[in-house]
Amino acid sequence: MNPKIVGTRVPRDDGRQKVTGESLYVDDIDIPGMIYGTTVRSPVASAKVVSVDWDEGYDWTGIVRVTAKDIPGENSLPLLIDDQKILADRRILHMHEPIALLACSDPTRLREARGHVRLRYKSQPMVSQIEDSLEAEVKVFGADNVFKDIQISKGDPATILPKCHHRLEESYITGHQEHLYLEPQGMIGAWQDGVLTLTGSLQCPYYVHKAMKAVFGLKDDEVRVNQAVTGGGFGGKEEYPSLLAAHVALLARKSGTPVKMVYERAEDMCATTKRHPSEVTIHGGVDEDGHLLALDVDVVLDGGAYCTLSPVVLSRAVLHAISAYRCDHVAVRGRVVATNTPPNGAFRGFGAPQTIFAMERMMDLIAETVGISPAEVRCRNHLQNGDSTATGQILQQGVSAGAVLQKALDASDFHSKWEAYQGSHSNRNRRGIGIALFMHGCGFTGHGERDLKSRAALRLFLDPQGKPRAQVLASTTDIGQGMRTTFRQIAAETLGIAFEQVELAPANTAGVPNSGPTVASRTCMVVGGLVAEAGKGCLQELGFSGTTSEVELAAALASTGAVTCEREYEPPPGLVWDDKNYRGSAYPTYGFGCTICEVEVDAVTFETRILDVVTCQDVGRAIHPSIVEGQIEGGTVQALGFAGFEKVVMHDGTMRNHDVSNYVIPTAADIAPIRVLIHEEPYSGGPFGAKGIGEMPMDGGAPAYVAAVSQAAGVSFQQVPILAEDVFAELLKKKAVKRS
Amino acid sequence: MTDPRKIEVFSPETLSAAVQVLAEVGSEAHILAGGTDLMVALEKGFWQPKGFVLNISRIEPELRYIRMEDGDVCMGALTTFADIARSDLLNTEAPSLVAAAREIGAQQIQNRATIGGNIMNASPAGDSMPPLLALDARVVLKSNEGPRTLPLFSFYPAYRETVSQPSELLTEVRIARRDSPTQDYFRKVAPRRAQAISKVILAARAWNVEETEEGPRIGSIRLGVGSVAPTPLRLFETERLLEKAVLTPSLMGAAGHMLETEISPIDDMRSTAEYRRQVCRRLLDDFLSNLLLES
Ligand SMILES: Cc1cc2nc3c(=O)[nH]c(=O)nc-3n(C[C@H](O)[C@H](O)[C@H](O)COP(=O)(O)OP(=O)(O)OC[C@H]3O[C@@H](n4cnc5c(N)ncnc54)[C@H](O)[C@@H]3O)c2cc1C
């Protein structure tokens, strides 16, 4: 079959509404009688709560007040280990932790009233960073501050490492990163006849559904979660919206009216999750030609004050620690630890960008030590079909590391540029070029997908004009990444009808089955796959073995009536995962990518300018090339932001630069046009061969950028972000510039 | 945050009406021009208007112009940075100001942001002030007692303060037209290439640069800097050192040293004092090296 719709650039499903302003975001939605809510937050990072009182001199008429005492059941937010409080009651573990909630019909009064809540507390010592947390003198979590400890081992690195021709050791550091989705967090909650309805800016309706059932002791049909049009998520709206949902639901319950809460930008930046900072130390052993023989990797992530999804983030971090390379003797240890900073959580890439950054810089160090180019060291070590990963997963087919590497090298003219920039250290502006090779596991880790049992359905029916139409029923959400369009393409192609004849049911827990969360680069590959399977099921029910003409389809529907087919995910055969020992198939398949970045460092000001970015990424099959390119470009920009712009200035447990003028994300003017090369190595388990692409672009930008800046500046950097100040300070240290 | 709907706004149609209001209740008036500073301050809660807003944007016919007058290039206070960037007169007479205008915010901001607002906002990081200082700009303040004109270098007594009185409105900025060729310089160092708050700014103008056997001799020089002191600053001492002297590497070193004594950069969340100090010095070096090369 030759696809007609898959692989084409049909107009985006939500494009028109978004461009014309028709799309309704949470802030645009009004419900009769609705009032506004706000959160009173802790001004301290670590404390014992003495009391929460209301200023008696203040006129509280018309203001609804909620504290932890108003929580009907347990004061905990159900997630992995339920350690996070809905509202702090006895202990405060981080700055801006929610303490009380207020609601009022006048939003301005609300801001004022926030200043009249009296919190009395006793300050406690705080843990502000990884080192202090590991010392565990002050305990934020459990006996040792460790949320999760994971080990992977393969072969015998302890014996092999000391015998290697070259032994290398280096530590790498990455900082926080803020999602900075365009639309801040927002949620509306309303109770009617015992049913709680939530409408929010969110990625995972069923996460909120599950959490609210637990918090308020409700049954399945007593909670309804609608996704409003969502202005970006990047993981920031994966787990966090459950907290917001609990807050508006508490306020709505007490006030008896619908309550809307939309975070202010500063509040969103201060209080919500960020990317986990990391410290990764790698001991590497190679032979004289730079072939990897043994690797010992130690990963520590800063989880912040509560566990959130940190263990899962850590899992992906350690599973990507060896990245796209072959190595027979490997030890990886990962820990995620608690600090008195706002909890870190899901963020595009989910731990992988941190460890891949470290591994890629290690590869550069190996190249330098052995005396070969960064391209050559990657050519010698990348995974190939038949190789095994750190967990012993044998990659039988579809390993495209070599192909994407070669395409990116050719398109960027890497070899000659790298040669030219080596050692050309005049006083003028200096250039450098850097490369990163990487891979990203698609879908949930290990048994995650099997346990999720995700479902999606298709309904095929005749419209009043007698034309066949289909409706996709799935709870994954479009958060700007283009899911609505891709799902329509997949359904239309499978059913053999036009794109225009397919629509999507609203992402509402009352109307669509649980398709699992919109995360982990799984939406198109896993849930899109279910949509395709459901499509085939519909045709079968109508007696067709494949697509047919519209006339025949209409005739069959006319006689049978509408058909609905639901499919549940089944892992591909042979996928075995041992979660206790971290052995086996960590992911059903992997995407591979290579990013090359060329920069110039200003000789006067040490500012870096990006001159060129080439990236080649294997998506299995590009269902919609423009959408795939958009994901790759956007993810690469976000990665370059992580690398060279975005510095969360965390001080005394709070983000100091909590505004868009001081937390600097790159603008279009800062990024050279990104040259995207799509590589297609089809995955048999994905719809039309598609793999995931949501997160992988986040993996390569930082190491490529840092390598380029290192070459240009003539000093090697092992951390992100690197700002002009860092280049300057490092050059001063190395006496490569004079302090006059 | 003050509810913007509850703020009283008065929008006079003429300059004389505006000045009259200031004469009567100037201390309660918050002047609003393009609003690009004020609206952000309102949202962040830094600005809590107690009295009323005096919206001067309707006086555009009287306050938005770029023209020659008595040998001066004059800009009305409501001249936007987009106007400045597009002006042929300023492209010839004040290239450093034009360069600054093109780097302020991005196009949307340049369309609204006024030069009067930039000057009156009195931020040490304001981008137009270093070039204006290097261009010997004077500002005109008007009250109902008449106008007074003063040099911009005497305008900022302290951090975010100006010598302007509540009864006064900034109406005009004036730059003397050049009578000989000049060499001009502007460089804004910022964390990104648009929508960025400056970390260091240097603007410079040199003229009457003479060739001598030992090297070029600078007849006159003006240096304006930003983001390296509590206020926009003119570097009088460094200028004095460089004027009428032959530009040699040792003089450049001495000038850099003098510059360091004149500025007082700080560590903050945007940059470090050390970076600002050294880069400011390197920018001066860059400008002086250009003079050397060109001569
Ligand atoms: C996104 C963004 C990007 C920006 N980027 C830059 C940048 O790159 N560089 C930079 O320097 N600035 C920047 N700014 C700040 C701002 O745009 C400038 O300072 C601008 O020139 C202010 O002019 P305005 O007309 O908008 O002033 P307003 O906000 O209207 O007023 C600013 C202040 O000046 C006073 N005022 C205005 N006009 C007069 C007058 N005629 N007489 C007396 N007082 C007066 C007001 O009372 C107020 O205190 C940026 C702002 C934003 C929002």
Side-chain angles (χ1 to χ4, degrees), chain B residues 22 29-40 47 54 56 63 77-79 81 100 103-106 109-110 112-123 125-129 141 160 164 168-172 188 194-198 201:
Chain B
L22 289 176
H30 300 270
I31 297 168
L32 177 89
T36 59
D37 275 314
L38 277 186
M39 294 312 286
V40 176
W47 178 46
L54 180 68
I56 59 170
L63 288 183
L78 290 178
T79 303
F81 288 110
E103 286 194 47
I104 286 180
I109 292 294
Q110 289 163 25
R112 271 206 82 72
T114 66
I115 188 141
N118 202 235
I119 293 170
M120 290 302 297
N121 191 52
S123 160
D127 283 326
S128 73
M129 288 86 99
L141 299 170
R160 306 226 51 177
S164 171
E168 290 176 315
L169 189 70
L170 175 72
T171 54
E172 192 176 78
K188 161 177 177 171
Q195 307 289 23
I197 302 175
S198 295
I201 315 164

Side-chain angles (χ1 to χ4, degrees), chain A residues 602 605 662 665 670 725 739, chain B residues 192-193 270-271 274-275:
Chain A
D602 191 294
T605 62
N662 291 307
I665 63 168
D670 296 287
E725 284 78 359
R739 184 188 274 106
Chain B
R192 65 182 161 207
R193 298 170 75 78
R270 292 184 193 141
S271 191
E274 179 76 357
Y275 176 84

Side-chain angles (χ1 to χ4, degrees), chain A residues 42-275:
Chain A
S42 80
V44 54
S46 176
K48 283 199 171 112
V49 177
V50 177
S51 62
V52 180
D53 301 309
W54 316 106
D55 176 354
E56 284 179 14
Y58 187 70
D59 177 12
W60 291 97
T61 351
I63 298 179
V64 184
R65 292 169 279 173
V66 162
T67 63
K69 296 191 189 91
D70 296 289
I71 299 165
E74 285 246 340
N75 181 8
S76 78
L77 193 70
L79 200 59
L80 294 175
I81 61 166
D82 303 2
D83 61 331
Q84 189 166 5
K85 303 283 178 200
I86 296 168
L87 291 168
D89 45 11
R90 289 187 292 274
R91 258 182 103 186
I92 288 168
L93 288 183
H94 66 87
M95 281 286 280
H96 312 294
E97 186 163 1
I99 289 167
L101 305 164
L102 305 174
C104 172
S105 57
D106 176 353
T108 323
R109 260 195 85 202
L110 212 48
R111 283 204 193 188
E112 176 190 274
R114 245 176 1 200
H116 294 273
V117 180
R118 299 283 172 255
L119 170 75
R120 292 208 301 136
Y121 61 86
K122 278 207 185 82
S123 284
Q124 300 288 111
M126 76 171 279
V127 172
S128 54
Q129 52 190 358
I130 287 176
E131 289 75 53
D132 309 336
S133 179
L134 285 171
E135 273 175 22
E137 256 168 52
V138 177
K139 306 225 179 350
V140 186
F141 177 82
D144 58 1
N145 287 337
V146 177
F147 287 122
K148 179 87 179 173
D149 190 333
I150 302 177
Q151 306 208 19
I152 301 178
S153 76
K154 172 186 175 187
D156 187 6
T159 311
I160 303 295
L161 247 178
K163 296 190 197 145
C164 292
H165 187 83
H166 296 289
R167 291 178 301 280
L168 309 100
E169 180 191 346
E170 191 60 83
S171 294
Y172 306 93
I173 294 175
T174 65
H176 284 95
Q177 188 182 20
E178 160 62 24
H179 305 87
L180 216 77
Y181 24 68
L182 272 181
E183 182 205 18
Q185 303 269 357
M187 187 79 68
I188 300 169
W191 293 86
Q192 197 169 24
D193 308 324
V195 173
L196 170 63
T197 303
L198 293 151
T199 304
S201 178
L202 48 89
Q203 293 178 223
C204 314
Y206 274 97
Y207 274 13
V208 176
H209 187 254
K210 184 175 170 196
M212 292 310 99
K213 282 195 306 179
V215 171
F216 294 99
L218 300 171
K219 297 200 210 57
D220 270 343
D221 56 357
E222 291 169 335
V223 182
R224 286 189 192 155
V225 182
N226 307 309
Q227 184 222 6
V229 176
T230 297
F234 310 114
K237 293 169 186 171
E238 176 175 354
E239 76 278 22
Y240 194 86
S242 296
L243 184 62
L244 199 55
H247 290 167
V248 291
L250 285 167
L251 282 168
R253 193 164 167 268
K254 192 152 185 185
S255 67
T257 58
V259 172
K260 168 151 84 181
M261 182 139 50
V262 177
Y263 282 0
E264 295 153 37
R265 177 64 69 188
E267 176 182 30
D268 197 306
M269 292 178 88
C270 283
T272 71
T273 54
K274 314 243 169 305
R275 181 184 300 287

